[in-house]
Amino acid sequence: MHDHDDDHAHGHEHAHGNDHDNHYSDMQARVKALETLLTEKGLIDPAAIDAIVETYETKVGPRNGAHVVAKAWSDADFADWLKRDATAAIASLGYTGRQGEHMRAVFNTAETHNLVVCTLCSCYPWSVLGLPPVWYKAPAYRSRAVIDPRGVLAEFGLTLPEDKKIRVWDSTAELRYLVIPERPEGTDGMDEQMLAGLVSRDAMIGTAVARKPESAT
């Protein structure tokens, strides 16, 4: 199990190989070269490309994970399945892919808050969260999330009670994690679609919590 408590140092070796995202793959290099060439010829607008990437990073991709969370909140049998075999439970909703073959769901509770990091590079469950945010790949986050998770969360605007345990999960090429945030109060009458609207990408990484109903958009 690749997890770390907030008051313990970590030690963990990743498998090396092409599954890691710290270097361009051949295909990524080709795409980058093509993008540069088309930009130089004035055939594409880099700002438009950035807007598309932003959409997939923060909107389209994370909607998949939000659906998983909302179903777990509203369906006890699914939540139990998700705890036992997250890969199969998530796949049953149609969310599979190269970056999400082996998944584990970690559930926040009143006593424990979960935070996901990849200390070596940026292993990330693309099938449920879309593209990884820039900060997730940054060396500062990758190192400090393990050393000082409470301080990192505070920088994201999330201050947790001192008596709440923080568990840090270190993703690898073989296993990736999805945080299931606590269901907010006052949501008893909400359907799955409404519940999904309360779940952000950051809440499923652990750098935020689910929004309260009045703040849902």
Side-chain angles (χ1 to χ4, degrees):
M1 179 172 66
H2 306 294
D3 66 296
H4 314 284
D5 296 340
D6 60 334
D7 56 349
H8 289 83
H10 84 292
H12 166 97
E13 290 187 6
H14 287 243
H16 294 281
N18 292 332
D19 285 327
H20 289 298
D21 306 315
N22 52 338
H23 297 292
Y24 284 135
S25 67
D26 289 344
M27 181 59 69
Q28 288 172 321
R30 289 171 182 264
V31 170
K32 191 67 177 176
L34 180 60
E35 179 185 340
T36 299
L37 178 62
L38 293 175
T39 299
E40 290 175 350
K41 290 183 176 295
L43 298 176
I44 62 172
D45 180 0
I49 297 295
D50 290 344
I52 293 171
V53 170
E54 174 70 12
T55 296
Y56 276 89
E57 178 182 308
T58 63
K59 297 178 181 178
V60 177
R63 287 179 183 171
N64 296 347
H67 181 201
V68 174
V69 172
K71 189 167 183 63
W73 283 348
S74 56
D75 184 336
D77 289 338
F78 181 79
D80 182 63
W81 187 13
L82 195 61
K83 290 177 182 178
R84 291 184 288 106
D85 188 349
T87 304
I90 292 170
S92 75
L93 300 180
Y95 308 136
T96 60
R98 175 173 168 74
Q99 305 297 332
E101 301 97 325
H102 304 292
M103 294 290 302
R104 178 171 181 178
V106 291
F107 288 67
N108 285 352
T109 68
E111 295 78 28
T112 303
H113 181 89
N114 295 286
L115 178 66
V116 179
V117 67
C118 178
T119 54
L120 184 63
C121 52
S122 55
C123 294
Y124 189 79
W126 290 28
S127 58
V128 287
L129 292 185
L131 301 175
V134 173
W135 55 260
Y136 184 84
K137 298 182 284 186
Y141 176 78
R142 298 192 336 243
S143 61
R144 293 188 57 234
V146 172
I147 298 170
D148 181 23
R150 199 172 296 273
V152 168
L153 292 179
E155 291 176 7
F156 276 91
L158 179 59
T159 301
L160 298 174
E162 287 298 324
D163 60 351
K164 175 165 282 196
K165 178 181 178 181
I166 301 174
R167 173 168 275 186
V168 179
W169 301 87
D170 197 351
S171 298
T172 71
E174 292 78 31
L175 183 62
R176 299 167 193 228
Y177 299 92
L178 177 69
V179 174
I180 309 300
E182 290 184 89
R183 180 171 177 167
E185 295 182 359
T187 59
D188 291 346
M190 300 177 70
D191 61 22
E192 284 187 20
Q193 184 175 358
M194 296 171 67
L195 288 171
L198 304 176
V199 184
S200 68
R201 175 202 64 196
D202 289 5
M204 294 181 283
I205 298 174
T207 54
V209 295
R211 292 184 288 267
K212 295 180 181 179
E214 59 270 23
S215 63
T217 56

